[in-house]
Amino acid sequence: MGYWVGVQLTPPAVLPYPTWKTLILRSDFLGILSRITSCHQFARLRAPTSFARRAVEAYIDGSGAAGCPFSFRSITSNSLDSFVIIFTTLTMGAETILSHTEHIPAWGDLTLTLKGELAPATKTPKLPDEISGPLAWNPSFFESDADYTITLDDREIKEVRSALSHFNELDLSGSEVSTTTFPLPTLGPKLRQAAEDVHNGKGFVVVRGIRDMQPGEFSPEDNIIIFLGISSYIAGARGRQDENGNMLSHIRNAKLSKTPQSQRPTRYSSRASTFHTDTFCDVLALQSRSNAMEGGATLVSSTWTVYNKLQKEHPELCELLAQPIWPFDSRGSFFPCSTRPLLYHHDGKVMMNFAREPLLGLEDVKRKAGLPVLSQEQKNALEIVERLATEGQISINTEPGDLLFINNHGVLHSREEFTDAIENPRYLVRMWLKNEELAWDLPEDLLHGNSRIYDRDNGLGERWNLADTPRIEFAVAERLTS
């Protein structure tokens, strides 16, 4: 078919010839290209129009490594009849270069001849034995919630109310809230220091003191303007949270739905969540509107402390978590399925991109075609991370009006199960934020998803869904994402 495959090991090595193995790819092998923004290049190759939505599946004949997934790192398209795919990563660690030099009128099963042995490669950079810094905290670091809470005084509250009036007089849209249009001359410097703490300090902060002085004093629009105004000093860029371009998530138990609690997205249920990070965002921002009658506290745990404990107690699991062998299921058009690491050491920082549902799947939903199930070793690793995060957790009991900002790459979060009051149930509003100056430099695996959220030209638009819409039914994509 005009294909050849060469294997590059890391570090470069002389390949043992004449050793040959055969690599068989299903006809939908290009499905993984859904990760790539410029998929249109491959339409010229007469690939099936639906290939970008299909899963990839590869088999190594005779190697004992069936079900090994590919993930493409970069692409160069030369002409109608040829292309080169560079830096494809196999599970066992070899990097391959695939080249096609002959036009194929139709896609069938492809047989690729592999020169050289597939051997474990040192593809994962050496992980530090320990990482230190203010983000490596444990519960004993905090004497009280005052250690991570900015409580506004009367002057600062008055300043926020003045900024709200100023913005409303400008007759601008909510997307135009900024440090300029929502001026906080006294509080602003304190919030900018909090932004520094979120990115380079303990990784989270609570801003307390903004609430209705009397029921219904702030309209739904005013509540969002205040949320946007204060958060613009922490991180000014806002991200889309779904394929509809919604900029806000309204988090509350969907009481009108007859869907069982176990079959809803966690954010529309009253059940507890496991520790996780939100999908690809930099800063998770939560505005508390009202509390549950019982339970419902937000729990946070330091990724760095979890990492240090793993390195001490289970160093082999750090290596496992850092391998690109974790298959994330996804549905809809917002994020494609992908296989990537859960743990990264990049630019001197340890970070996690961690969630259980897209990895373990849902009991009543089949995995996306071509996605492998986790091994028992992988499942055990998830349980150990959960245990260590729980051991190091602190509980944040927010008050109505509180704003909570969390470094999504450095802090894991979850929430308690809760029971609502008949009136005034638990209600949070969520935004995904980015501080262009302080944002962490991300590894390549996370950049695409991060850009999908924050880039203005991502094709999703912006939908400012200010009001909470009662939810009755839930798509699989919602259940698989945080």
Side-chain angles (χ1 to χ4, degrees), residues 288-337:
S288 177
R289 297 285 184 85
S290 57
N291 290 350
M293 180 174 65
E294 182 179 353
T298 298
L299 309 171
V300 295
S301 190
S302 164
T303 292
W304 289 17
T305 299
V306 170
Y307 172 83
N308 287 339
K309 289 182 178 180
L310 276 173
Q311 279 288 45
K312 184 177 180 180
E313 300 175 16
H314 304 279
E316 75 285 355
L317 294 187
C318 286
E319 295 291 338
L320 179 65
L321 293 168
Q323 297 295 320
I325 59 172
W326 298 86
F328 284 76
D329 196 357
S330 181
R331 308 296 166 94
S333 59
F334 192 37
F335 294 118
C337 299

Side-chain angles (χ1 to χ4, degrees), residues 347-418:
D347 194 34
K349 299 178 177 69
V350 165
M351 58 190 78
M352 281 190 176
N353 187 252
F354 186 89
R356 295 166 72 92
E357 286 86 353
L359 292 169
L360 294 171
L362 305 170
E363 290 185 4
D364 58 329
V365 177
K366 289 185 178 181
R367 295 276 283 172
K368 188 85 168 181
L371 283 179
V373 298
L374 298 190
S375 67
Q376 189 58 52
E377 184 182 18
Q378 288 176 298
K379 293 177 182 178
N380 292 340
L382 296 183
E383 291 300 325
I384 290 174
V385 170
E386 181 75 21
R387 174 177 62 81
L388 295 178
T390 301
E391 290 175 359
Q393 74 184 23
I394 64 170
S395 176
I396 300 178
N397 295 290
T398 55
E399 299 176 1
D402 282 0
L403 305 182
L404 171 60
F405 301 95
I406 298 173
N407 183 326
N408 190 56
H409 304 302
V411 176
L412 296 161
H413 68 278
S414 68
R415 74 125 188 265
E416 298 173 337
E417 182 182 11
F418 65 88

Side-chain angles (χ1 to χ4, degrees), residues 2-69:
Y3 280 85
W4 58 266
V5 176
V7 177
Q8 290 185 329
L9 300 181
T10 308
V14 177
L15 298 176
Y17 295 108
T19 303
W20 297 81
K21 289 184 183 292
T22 301
L23 183 65
I24 309 297
L25 295 181
R26 274 183 15 186
S27 60
D28 57 2
F29 81 103
L30 285 177
I32 200 67
L33 294 180
S34 58
R35 291 185 57 195
I36 306 301
T37 302
S38 301
C39 289
H40 65 275
Q41 296 177 12
F42 286 83
R44 296 180 302 172
L45 297 172
R46 296 189 175 92
T49 56
S50 61
F51 75 88
R53 296 186 296 276
R54 298 183 184 180
V56 65
E57 189 171 12
Y59 297 91
I60 309 300
D61 181 38
S63 71
C68 168

Side-chain angles (χ1 to χ4, degrees), residues 161 211-219 222:
R161 290 172 176 271
R211 59 183 301 174
D212 293 347
M213 296 298 103
Q214 54 189 4
E217 178 182 2
F218 293 133
S219 68
D222 285 346

Side-chain angles (χ1 to χ4, degrees), residues 409-457:
H409 304 302
V411 176
L412 296 161
H413 68 278
S414 68
R415 74 125 188 265
E416 298 173 337
E417 182 182 11
F418 65 88
T419 301
D420 268 333
I422 296 177
E423 297 181 358
N424 206 30
R426 183 183 188 271
Y427 180 18
L428 301 177
V429 180
R430 183 181 75 181
M431 285 197 295
W432 286 346
L433 306 176
K434 184 184 188 76
N435 185 312
E436 300 288 359
E437 295 180 359
L438 298 176
W440 286 11
D441 185 48
L442 298 180
E444 185 179 352
D445 284 324
L446 304 184
L447 281 176
H448 177 69
N450 190 263
S451 297
R452 179 79 169 143
I453 292 171
Y454 296 109
D455 285 358
R456 289 190 172 275
D457 59 351

Side-chain angles (χ1 to χ4, degrees), residues 229-251:
I230 291 178
S231 68
S232 65
Y233 290 82
I234 305 293
R238 298 119 190 177
R240 293 90 177 144
Q241 298 187 43
D242 57 34
E243 61 194 36
N244 296 317
N246 284 317
M247 306 298 288
L248 306 168
S249 282
H250 298 269
I251 300 174

